[in-house]
Amino acid sequence: MKTIFTMMGLALTLTLSAQTRQAYEKSALEEITADKFLAGGNAVDYDRLPRKALTPTPKDYEPYYLSHYGRHGSRWLLSDRDYSSPINTLKDAKKAGVLTAEGEKALAKIEETQKTSKGHLGDLSPVGEKQHHGIGKRMVQNFPEIFKTPYIHIDARSTTSVRAILSMIAECEELAQANATATFHNEANDAIMSYMNAPKDGLQRMNEGKARPIQNEWSVKMRDPRRLMKVLFNDQDWVYINVMPTQLMGQIYDIATNQQSHDGDTTLLDLFTAEELYRLWNGNNLYWYLNAANAPQTGNVMHWQQANLLRNIIETADTITQKQATLRFGHDTVVLPIVALMELGGMGCSIDNLEELDTYFRSYMVIPTACNIQLVFYRPKKGKSGDILVKALLNENEVTMPVETNMFPYYKWDDVKNFYVEKLKKQPKNPFPNMPQQSPQIPAFIQQMMNSSN
């Protein structure tokens, strides 16, 4: 697992562009074989991913400002249909006498999981709360010069989603515990949503015909439910007449990979081989790339959804004169586009050959539950002179930024800011000129992926 972040920690000194590709050292299949939970993609428990030690602060410098955007932590699935649909299929099979012993066990586990979800659909889970307490605690440990400053001001903002608000509260609790003099401003309202969770034009773009055929073809190619159907059912003729195998496989996969969002039994993953999990994840990975990253297949525009957030990050940073922090809490549908737009760790890459996609882009490395970016700003100590510096952390690991430096992971803020300001000038004025007024029906498997996002 330690090798996963090799590509993110490269001390590159050359200019990086949106075309830059930083390949992972191990294949995605190898990583998922070693840890099946990674197949969850955006459902992966944040604390499963490794964190490397951070580079010491440059001599004669001190950190003075942290700018952050983070996704809420682990949660329950969003809809009771996510549980009831596979339960109904398995119950029908049990009634018909065609459910195997393994099928019986699967049914019992899914029913038990459904019971725990009652009244909690979409809610932050205890695992998700724990993730954010850990992030807040490590912020203090990593940057005590900021967070232990007497009377430091912390501006914490969230989308109006309850799970995001509770994630914000968990981190703020840790920061308050570490510094009793800290002052907080907490906010969650529609007035800030234009940059906290901008309208998802990219999701609508899925219905224009560019991504959908690719996704359809990829889903057929990646899902082979035949072995699983034999594990669950003892009569394949009954399955042929009564079951939608690829759909059932996907439904059980969603529940199985989401089990890591809760303490307790996670054995549903044992129904799948590592190869099956890899292929199921591969379809999920493609979905995220086409929908929210710099994908040429969807016009290299999806990541522009978060241009307002990038502007807010830049504008806010330039107002900071005293030690403080700006914390923002939202969703994976924001984190991935902003990471791609900012080209952090090579994630702005444009991949023409989708067969190579998981060599360079892996959803579980970018948008696990509680995923976050932290921009840490450094200034010369009192009596010293020098440029304002910044470094970027993606999920608390140092990553490259798209400008030159000879002191990675540190960059001159003026260089970084100027790069982004110039890039924002190139924002497409109307990236979706042919968007229909009435979107066609979304295929079921795409709707499932959309339901399991956020």
Side-chain angles (χ1 to χ4, degrees), residues 317-337:
D318 277 346
T319 68
I320 304 302
T321 58
Q322 298 179 340
K323 290 183 178 180
Q324 65 184 78
T326 303
L327 309 180
R328 307 169 184 87
F329 295 85
H331 308 275
D332 46 10
T333 50
V334 178
V335 174
L336 179 52

Side-chain angles (χ1 to χ4, degrees), residues 56-225:
T57 299
K59 184 181 179 182
D60 296 330
Y61 274 83
E62 63 175 357
Y64 74 99
Y65 175 55
L66 187 145
S67 182
H68 157 282
Y69 190 101
R71 180 194 181 192
H72 60 77
S74 292
R75 56 162 173 77
W76 274 267
L77 294 178
L78 299 178
S79 170
D80 189 62
R81 292 190 304 274
D82 296 330
Y83 303 104
S84 62
S85 183
I87 285 174
N88 290 338
T89 299
L90 294 173
K91 275 187 172 180
D92 288 344
K94 182 177 181 179
K95 186 176 180 180
V98 298
L99 206 58
T100 65
E102 284 300 313
E104 296 258 10
K105 292 179 184 177
L107 173 58
K109 289 175 184 178
I110 296 173
E111 287 181 318
E112 181 182 353
T113 304
Q114 183 191 39
K115 288 179 182 178
T116 66
S117 75
K118 295 297 184 183
H120 291 294
L121 292 170
D123 286 354
L124 187 73
S125 71
V127 169
E129 184 180 14
K130 180 175 65 176
Q131 291 162 351
H132 281 281
H133 275 285
I135 293 169
K137 183 175 294 185
R138 288 188 297 274
M139 280 183 178
V140 176
Q141 293 170 348
N142 292 333
F143 309 108
E145 301 92 337
I146 298 176
F147 291 103
K148 290 197 173 183
T149 299
Y151 303 102
I152 180 180
H153 179 66
I154 297 171
D155 191 317
R157 303 184 175 200
S158 171
T159 67
T160 54
S161 164
V162 174
R163 57 183 174 270
I165 294 171
L166 292 176
S167 297
M168 173 178 68
I169 290 172
E171 282 193 28
C172 288
E173 284 176 343
E174 286 294 334
L175 302 180
Q177 183 174 342
N179 186 344
T181 67
T183 62
F184 293 83
H185 169 76
N186 295 101
E187 187 173 359
N189 53 54
D190 290 338
I192 61 176
M193 293 294 274
S194 63
Y195 65 86
M196 289 292 296
N197 191 20
K200 298 300 181 293
D201 291 328
L203 292 179
Q204 298 178 51
R205 182 67 177 251
M206 290 291 287
N207 300 315
E208 286 193 78
K210 290 191 175 182
R212 193 190 319 159
I214 302 170
Q215 193 74 54
N216 283 340
E217 179 183 354
W218 209 259
S219 181
V220 172
K221 178 180 178 180
M222 286 294 138
R223 293 189 182 186
D224 184 352

Side-chain angles (χ1 to χ4, degrees), residues 251-389:
Q251 291 167 341
I252 297 176
Y253 159 78
D254 287 341
I255 297 170
T257 53
N258 186 254
Q259 281 187 298
Q260 61 192 291
S261 294
H262 312 282
D263 294 317
D265 186 8
T266 58
T267 56
L268 276 175
L269 278 177
D270 294 339
L271 288 171
F272 301 91
T273 67
E275 175 73 22
E276 287 168 344
L277 287 171
Y278 161 74
R279 294 171 74 84
L280 286 160
W281 165 80
N282 205 305
N284 175 277
N285 194 52
L286 176 68
Y287 166 82
W288 281 105
Y289 184 67
L290 294 177
N291 186 53
N294 186 25
Q297 296 80 8
T298 43
N300 300 101
V301 296
M302 298 306 195
H303 53 320
W304 284 104
Q305 296 171 44
Q306 300 310 324
N308 287 344
L309 176 57
L310 179 54
R311 291 188 181 91
N312 178 262
I313 289 171
I314 295 170
E315 292 167 2
T316 304
D318 277 346
T319 68
I320 304 302
T321 58
Q322 298 179 340
K323 290 183 178 180
Q324 65 184 78
T326 303
L327 309 180
R328 307 169 184 87
F329 295 85
H331 308 275
D332 46 10
T333 50
V334 178
V335 174
L336 179 52
I338 192 63
V339 168
L341 187 60
M342 295 178 71
E343 303 174 40
L344 301 180
M347 288 297 104
C349 57
S350 183
I351 307 297
D352 292 309
N353 182 3
L354 293 176
E355 296 288 346
E356 299 178 351
L357 180 61
D358 67 10
T359 301
Y360 307 99
F361 176 86
R362 296 177 189 173
S363 58
Y364 55 78
M365 298 308 302
V366 187
I367 51 171
T369 55
C371 58
N372 61 91
I373 61 171
Q374 299 177 29
L375 300 181
V376 188
F377 292 77
Y378 296 77
R379 65 187 179 190
K381 291 181 178 179
K382 189 174 182 179
K384 303 294 181 179
S385 61
D387 297 295
I388 297 296
L389 304 180

Side-chain angles (χ1 to χ4, degrees), residues 2 8 30 66 144 255 304 317 337 343 375 409 421 432 451 453:
K2 292 182 179 180
M8 292 187 172
E30 288 176 313
L66 187 145
I255 297 170
W304 284 104
E343 303 174 40
L375 300 181
V421 168
F432 311 106
N451 288 342
S453 67

